[in-house]
Amino acid sequence: MSVLEIEDLGVTFSTETGDVPAVRDVSLHVRPGETLALVGESGSGKSTVALAAMGLLPGNARVSGRISVDGTPIVGADDRELSGLRGRTVSMVFQEPATALDPLTRVGAQIAEVVRNHRQVSRAEAARAAVDLLRRVGIPEPEHRASAFPFQLSGGQRQRVVIAMAIANSPGLLIADEPTTALDVTVQAEILDLLRALAADSGTGVLLVTHNMGVVADFADRVAVMLEGEVVETGTVEDVLLRPSHEYTRRLLAAVPRLAVDEPRGAGTAGEDPQEPEGSTSVVELRDVSVHFGRGRRTVRALQNVSLSVRPGETVGLVGESGSGKSTAARVALGLLRPDSGSVALFGNDLGRTRGRARRSLLSGVGVVLQDPVASLDARMSVTECVAEPLRVHRRGMTAVQRRERVAEVLELVRLPRGLAGRGPRELSGGQRQRVSLARALVLEPRLLVADEPTSALDVSVQRTVLEVIAELQGELGFACLFVSHDLAVVQEFAQRVVVMRAGSVEEEGPTMTTLLRPETEYTRRLIAAVPVPDPVLQRRRRVSLGLEASA
């Protein structure tokens, strides 16, 4: 018997401009203890299917077909019936735990509330159950952490709290919608191990919605591939990832960046490092930089004696776990943070000693692309206005006509059609918004581009397009790039050198292929080992070799 049965599901949204079909004729099932991965690009209908299974579609959705969870019909059920199912029979883990948790309520109380909603227990019993659940999901000092607020926990700990809430009443079905997208590779590996253990121990079926093919290879039993609202291919994880039958699946897999650490040393150019770029003067250089936040006992060391540099035309990958100091180092390079000690040289000038107009002129040579383009672009502005804003600030002598011409040139460079110039950021797809951010960063023809997790929230094909655009423009314009990322496969493809950070210090650095193929430190080896590869057979062998599971 399946814990989830979907037959001929259709979902259509009624909008002001007419009906929009989102899902057509989708049939799926999930058995107890099994993980079904639902993959596809943004807009393919994955999340719509997941929300339909929870009965959480908005009021403008028309649903046809049949959905049953543990034998209980979902389509046509009233709010009372659905409320009784959610949290008890079926639970959901969302991509961003910060939006799933109440920031003003202690995490123990939030878990206890879920327990009391479906069990006749006292407040004291629910509080003890919350502590036990925190212990079960691997939160250290659960008695102490139960009294913490969400903002006092790390991203990985918040995701564990969300999982504790989801499993509080031992549901038969767990729906996980991109549960590891915002996490670094080591925390991602821990969360996947936790979900794997829960499925094995309690027989919970898992519907995993993701665009990360490495996660699919590491965690799923079967895969369903969606394209424009339809399932175009289903099968075992080995069949779909290693022997795909549909052309779309093959294109999707071809776009996945692959870590070369598991490939033979003699294959292709693996293990070979490119020649160092010309030019001895660094575009940006941090020398023995230290940054501390807070005072007294609450002082937190963010950076400690960090030295790194980026040469002209070079891309340096800055990698490490969350909290390692990557983004802090990038903010220092951008002049957004003044170090407590050490110095920052930008284009050969001491940034700490530069003031006023000279400092603004210096910083105008730096472009920035951030992880979330929605937060970095003004929703009230059009695409043209967003891209032109740096010109209005730093090129005051330009006329309106000259600004429009320059914006049109840059939009063409980043492969955006001119027809999008008048739209707002929220009218664009995720990949289009990120290319608008890139155009804005390049409109002043910077000598240095700082990219902080620019592709982590994008699906693989859009990620591939954005990275290709950056690489092509770097070749044409010759800017240097400081690339901050937790995706080692992307860094391996994109960067000539890599700097590995740990707890605010530089753990290891060197040419990318040398460092990732032959790491010198145990920390770097663990970081690389935590990256799942999109090959289920190879990933299973890696887990055995790392002692993560018994050899079959």
Side-chain angles (χ1 to χ4, degrees):
M1 181 178 177
S2 297
V3 292
L4 173 65
E5 282 278 359
I6 299 177
E7 292 183 7
D8 301 321
L9 175 66
V11 179
T12 300
F13 293 103
S14 300
T15 69
E16 294 179 356
T17 57
D19 290 347
V20 178
V23 171
R24 293 184 296 275
D25 301 322
V26 168
S27 296
L28 302 168
H29 70 272
V30 180
R31 293 183 286 265
E34 177 188 51
T35 296
L36 171 67
L38 202 55
V39 303
E41 295 174 291
S42 298
S44 62
K46 307 187 300 295
S47 293
T48 300
V49 171
L51 292 172
M54 289 284 291
L56 289 174
L57 290 173
N60 67 331
R62 295 200 312 272
V63 183
S64 61
R66 188 178 75 87
I67 304 175
S68 67
V69 174
D70 205 18
T72 303
I74 300 296
V75 178
D78 59 33
D79 289 341
R80 184 176 179 181
E81 291 173 311
L82 292 173
S83 295
L85 285 173
R86 297 180 193 132
R88 178 174 57 85
T89 305
V90 55
S91 291
M92 195 162 189
V93 178
F94 294 93
Q95 175 178 348
E96 181 47 68
T99 60
L101 297 173
D102 184 346
L104 303 179
T105 304
R106 300 179 192 276
V107 297
Q110 296 189 55
I111 299 172
E113 181 182 9
V114 175
V115 173
R116 297 193 72 210
N117 283 343
H118 296 281
R119 294 192 232 164
Q120 296 297 320
V121 297
S122 66
R123 291 183 181 275
E125 289 173 314
R128 286 194 293 272
V131 171
D132 288 340
L133 284 162
L134 289 174
R135 182 179 294 110
R136 186 179 175 190
V137 297
I139 296 286
E141 301 177 334
E143 294 85 359
H144 173 67
R145 294 294 185 183
S147 62
F149 291 97
F151 69 87
Q152 295 174 305
L153 304 178
S154 69
Q157 288 174 332
R158 285 195 294 266
Q159 193 63 292
R160 287 171 186 266
V161 170
V162 171
I163 293 172
M165 294 170 66
I167 66 171
N169 297 295
S170 303
L173 175 66
L174 184 66
I175 299 175
D177 190 357
E178 301 281 8
T180 63
T181 294
L183 304 177
D184 59 58
V185 289
T186 51
V187 178
Q188 172 182 277
E190 292 170 1
I191 295 298
L192 291 177
D193 285 341
L194 171 61
L195 292 174
R196 185 182 291 106
L198 292 172
D201 294 344
S202 59
T204 299
V206 180
L207 177 64
L208 175 69
V209 179
T210 184
H211 64 251
N212 189 322
M213 294 300 181
V215 169
V216 172
D218 191 34
F219 186 52
D221 300 301
R222 292 188 301 113
V223 183
V225 183
M226 292 195 68
L227 172 64
E228 297 179 352
E230 298 180 349
V231 174
V232 296
E233 182 168 359
T234 58
T236 66
V237 65
E238 289 86 358
D239 284 341
V240 174
L241 296 193
L242 300 181
R243 296 174 291 277
S245 60
H246 198 278
E247 175 59 28
Y248 172 71
T249 309
R250 289 193 285 270
R251 290 202 315 269
L252 205 60
L253 290 170
V256 177
R258 296 171 185 265
L259 203 61
V261 291
D262 295 292
E263 297 176 2
R265 290 285 172 85
T269 59
E272 299 177 8
D273 290 308
Q275 293 182 348
E276 294 185 359
E278 296 180 2
S280 57
T281 303
S282 296
V283 172
V284 64
E285 184 174 6
L286 277 61
R287 304 188 192 97
D288 296 321
V289 165
S290 294
V291 174
H292 299 81
F293 298 120
R295 296 180 179 179
R297 289 184 175 181
R298 297 186 177 181
T299 298
V300 176
R301 184 187 70 177
L303 296 179
Q304 188 68 33
N305 300 326
V306 169
S307 296
L308 63 88
S309 64
V310 185
R311 295 183 287 261
E314 179 187 42
T315 297
V316 173
L318 200 55
V319 305
E321 297 171 295
S322 296
S324 62
K326 307 187 301 293
S327 293
T328 301
R331 292 177 68 194
V332 170
L334 288 167
L336 297 175
L337 272 179
R338 292 185 183 274
D340 297 319
S341 62
S343 64
V344 182
L346 186 60
F347 313 129
N349 299 276
D350 189 332
L351 193 57
R353 296 182 180 181
T354 310
R355 299 285 186 273
R357 185 178 298 176
R359 182 182 177 88
R360 287 196 300 273
S361 176
L362 203 60
L363 292 174
S364 70
V366 183
V368 186
V369 182
L370 301 175
Q371 177 176 355
D372 184 3
V374 174
S376 60
L377 299 174
D378 193 329
R380 298 167 298 179
M381 293 182 174
S382 68
V383 167
T384 295
E385 291 170 332
C386 286
V387 177
E389 189 175 24
L391 294 174
R392 289 195 298 270
V393 173
H394 295 285
R395 301 287 189 272
R396 295 181 181 178
M398 293 183 75
T399 66
V401 173
Q402 289 173 323
R403 284 198 298 268
R404 283 197 299 270
E405 289 176 350
R406 175 58 184 159
V407 169
E409 289 174 6
V410 179
L411 291 179
E412 187 174 344
L413 281 176
V414 300
R415 302 183 193 169
L416 279 176
R418 293 191 176 219
L420 300 182
R423 296 187 186 179
R426 296 189 184 277
E427 298 178 83
L428 308 178
S429 69
Q432 288 171 334
R433 283 195 294 264
Q434 197 59 291
R435 278 182 275 172
V436 172
S437 293
L438 180 58
R440 176 188 168 101
L442 297 177
V443 73
L444 293 175
E445 300 180 272
R447 296 165 61 187
L448 172 67
L449 180 71
V450 177
D452 191 354
E453 301 281 9
T455 61
S456 64
L458 304 178
D459 58 57
V460 289
S461 55
V462 177
Q463 172 182 270
R464 170 67 63 184
T465 300
V466 170
L467 290 174
E468 286 176 352
V469 168
I470 294 176
E472 286 180 12
L473 292 176
Q474 187 178 26
E476 293 175 17
L477 305 177
F479 56 80
C481 182
L482 180 62
F483 191 85
V484 182
S485 180
H486 65 252
D487 191 329
L488 297 185
V490 168
V491 169
Q492 189 176 67
E493 285 195 8
F494 192 59
Q496 288 84 49
R497 284 195 301 122
V498 64
V499 177
V500 182
M501 295 196 65
R502 179 188 186 188
S505 299
V506 174
E507 179 80 2
E508 183 173 352
E509 66 175 309
T512 302
M513 296 306 294
T514 299
T515 303
L516 297 185
L517 283 171
R518 296 179 287 279
E520 295 179 354
T521 68
E522 179 59 29
Y523 174 76
T524 306
R525 283 191 284 272
R526 283 194 288 111
L527 206 61
I528 295 168
V531 181
V533 294
D535 181 326
V537 175
L538 181 56
Q539 182 60 22
R540 200 171 298 123
R541 286 206 303 266
R542 293 180 80 218
R543 291 186 61 80
V544 171
S545 67
L546 293 169
L548 298 176
E549 61 187 34
S551 178

